[in-house]
Amino acid sequence: MSGKKSEGKQSMPELAPEERIHSFDEVPLGYTPEMAVAEAKRCLQCKRPLCVEGCPVFVQIPEFIQLIAERKFTEAARMIKQTNAFPAICGRVCPQETQCEIKCVLGKRGEPIAIGRLERFAADWELQHNEVEPPERPEATGHSVAVVGSGPGGMAAAADLAMWGHDVTIYELFHAAGGVLRYGIPRFRLPREILDAELDYLTKLGVMLRTNFVVGQTATIDDLLEEHDAVFVATGAGLPRFLEIPGENMLGVYSANEFLTRVNLMRADRFPDYHTPVHCGANVIVIGGGNVAMDAARTARRLGSENVTVLYRRTRKEMPAREEEIEHAEQEGVQMHFLASPIEIEGDEEGWARSITCQQMELGEPDESGRRSPVPIEGETFTIEADTVIVAIGSHAHPLVPETTPDLEVSHRGYVAIDDTGATSKDGVFAGGDIVTGAATVIEAMGAGRRAAESIHRYLTDEDPPNGMSRSD
Amino acid sequence: MNEIVDREEIAPDTWRYVVRAPEIARRREAGQFVVLRVYDRGERFPLTVVDSDPDEGTIELIFQAVGTSTRMLAQMHEGDQILDLVGPLGRPTHIDKFGRCVVMGGGYGMAPVIPIARALKAAGNEIVGINGARSADQVILTERMEEICDRVEICTDDGSAGHKGFVTDVLQQMIEDGEQIDFVLAIGPTPMMRAVAELTRPHAIKTVVSLNPIMVDGTGMCGGCRVEVAGETKFACIEGPEFDAHEVDFDMLMKRQQMYSDMEGEARRMFKPHSTPLGKEEHPGCHCCEEDDNER
C-alpha cells in the first residue's frame, strides 16, 4: 500500500474473520493518517462536485477531503459538521457506494474516492484527540421544539434546531438514546463509544433528552404542543413484520428487532452478568436479504452459533443489503441460501422451533422495484434444521403516534403524510424518516430530519435558517 | 424521578410500592402497565399499575419477588429511585355497563383486578369479587376489594381462609346456583385464566383476561409478547394486555412464557441478596459483589 496516486482506493485494514466471531469489536479498523492522506490526494477536487449531489445532507466533500490532504484532520471534521453533525456515524453506516461514491468521476475508470472511510477518519481523529468543540450558538430564539424519537432523524433535526438557537427536547421511549443506532445496529458496525460521543455532542449543543417517555402514551402530541411551539415526529418504522406462516409463534422465533434489541441494548451477549437472556441455537436461520438480516446473522455467529444461514427469496444480486455487509457476513461463515421462501416452521412438543420448510423459487419478471421477482417452482419444497429463526423482513409504521393524534393524516399503511416541507396535516407538527417513508437508511432519515428542521425554523421565525440545506429547495 | 415514597410487604414476598411518577399518574387508566428496570445491567419487565393519584403524582405497584428483577426491586428502600420507569403502556380496559360482573384474581393477580373492578363499579355495574390464594397469609387486598365490590368471596387452596378450593370452584358454584353473571374478569397465573375461560365458555359468559407474556420494550417494537387470539397474532403490549378469554391460545402463551425458564435459573443463582438499600455502589447479581463476598 503506497501513498502514490493510483486507480485503486486505499484499502482499509479489518479485523480477521476468525477473531471477529469471538467478539463484538468493530470490524473495519479505520485508516491511519498516512492512508487517509494518500487517499485524500487522489481526489480530483472537481469544480462542480457530483459527489455532493449524491449526499442526502450535502456534506462539503471536496473541501473536507482537501483538508485531510493538508493533514488538517480536525478542521476536516469540523467542515463536515457544518452540514452533518454526526460524521463518525455516517462514515460507518452510510451506503456511500450508492450515494456519494457512485457519483465520483474517478469511479468511471478506476475506484471512486473512499469518501466514507475519509469521513470516518476525520471524525475519529477529532474524537480521539479530544478536539470536539460545539460551535458557538446564536442567541436563544425563545422557541421550543419537541423531537419525538432519538434515532438518526431526530438527532439530525435536533442538532440543526439547537444550532439555530431553539430550545430542543428529544423524547425517547427506551432508557437510552440513539434509536435504531442503539437497539438495531450492532456494535461491531457502530461501537457504542462512537454513538455515545455523537450523542454527547448533541448535549453540548444544548439539546435536552427525556428517556423513558413514550409519546402516544406518556403524553400525546397535543400535550407536547402545550409545552413546545413545534413537534418533529421521527418515531421510525418500529413495528416488526412477520411472515404470517404457520409456526411463527414457536419458541425460538424472533423478530430481528427483538433479537438485536436483546443483544445491542440489553447486552444479552453478556448474560448472566447482564440479566436479559437470548436464545441462539446451533442452527440459526435468518429470513431476509437486507442490512438488518446481515446484522442478525453476524450477531448470531458472535453468540456462538455454528450454522447460520440467511434465507432470501431472490438471489444475491437482488439483495438490498450493502455489498460490504454481505461480504463481511460471508467472511464470518454465514451461509446464504437463495431463492428460498419460508412456508412453515415446524416444532417439537414443547413448542420449540426445530425446522423450517421453504418453497423453492426462481426469478421471474422485474417488479415495480426493478428487481426480478421471485416465482414459486410448483411442488419443489425443502426442509432445513432451525432451532432459532430470526425474521428480518422489514417493519410496519409504528401506530402509537398516529392512533393518539386524531388530526394527523396518515398515508399508505399508516405512515404519516407530509408535504414537501415535512409539515403534516396538523399545525406545528412535522415528520420525517421511516415513519414517513417506511424503512430506509440512517442518512436518509438524517436528511429528512434536516429538511424538517429547516421548515420548523421557517415556521417559528418566518426566516430562512442561517446555514440550511439551501440546495434542497 | 421515580422515587419510592412508600413500601410495605403485604404478604410473604409480595410488595406494595408507591412511586412518584407524575406523568404516568396523570395519564394512566385501568388495565395499563409500566415497564421497569431497576439496575443498569437489569432486565426490562412489566408491572400493572394498581392505582394512581394524579394530585400526589404517584402510582401504586404490587409485585411478587420471584425473579431476579423483582427480587432486586423488593430490596429497594423508601427514598430510593427506580432506575427506569416508563408508561403507562398497553390499552386501557374497555369499561362498559355490563350488568352483574364477577372479578377474580389469583394470588397477586388480585392487584391488577383492583383498578378494573373500581372502573366497572363506577360505570354502574354490580360487582362480585373472588379473591383466591394458596393460603390465608397470601390473601391480599381484601379490604380494598370489600370497599369496591358488592360481595367478596375468599378462597384458599388449603382452606385456611374462606372457601377451600380454587377461584374457579367458587365461580362454578355461582354458575350452578343460577346466579346472573354478565361479565367475568380473571387475572392470575395463566393456568387459572385458562380454567376460567373453559368454565365460562359453555355458558357464553363474556370473559376478559389480562395476559402477561414476556416483553422487552412494551411499545410494539420487538414482538416478543405476541399471542394468538382468534387465530391471529397480536402484540399484547399495544393491542392488549386484555383479550377475550375465549379466543386466547393459552397453550401457546404458557409455552412462550417458559422460553427462558432454564436461563432464568442461571441468573437467579448469580443473585445475592443484599441487606442494605440498593445504591449506585452496589451491583447485585454481578461478579463484583461475589468477589466482595468472597473476601469477607
Side-chain angles (χ1 to χ4, degrees), chain B residues 264-285:
Chain B
E264 275 159 13
E266 199 179 331
R268 215 168 301 149
R269 278 193 296 281
M270 303 276 300
F271 175 75
K272 294 253 170 120
H274 282 242
S275 51
T276 51
L278 236 174
K280 277 195 177 128
E281 305 310 312
E282 291 167 35
H283 303 158

Side-chain angles (χ1 to χ4, degrees), chain A residues 81-96:
Chain A
K81 281 186 171 173
Q82 288 185 14
T83 51
N84 174 11
F86 312 105
I89 294 173
C90 295
R92 287 173 165 84
V93 304
C94 269
Q96 292 95 6

Side-chain angles (χ1 to χ4, degrees), chain A residues 175 210 212 217-218 220 239-240 248-249 251-255 257-258 262 271 273 275 278-279 349 398, chain B residues 23 27 37 41 43-44 84 86-88 90 219-222 224 226 228 233 255-256 259-260 263 287:
Chain A
H175 54 262
R210 278 292 317 270
N212 294 319
Q217 295 276 41
T218 315
T220 60
L239 209 66
E248 202 164 22
N249 295 328
L251 285 72
V253 184
Y254 288 104
S255 72
N257 260 13
E258 180 179 3
R262 282 179 178 273
F271 180 86
D273 276 358
H275 299 179
V278 71
H279 266 292
E349 278 186 4
H398 202 287
Chain B
E23 280 154 340
R27 293 270 309 176
R37 202 171 65 116
R41 295 184 180 192
E43 277 191 278
R44 296 168 63 94
D84 295 300
V86 57
T219 63
M221 305 257 301
C222 81
R226 56 199 195 278
E228 273 187 34
T233 298
K255 284 175 177 163
R256 287 188 62 86
M259 187 151 163
Y260 301 101
M263 300 173 93
H287 290 308

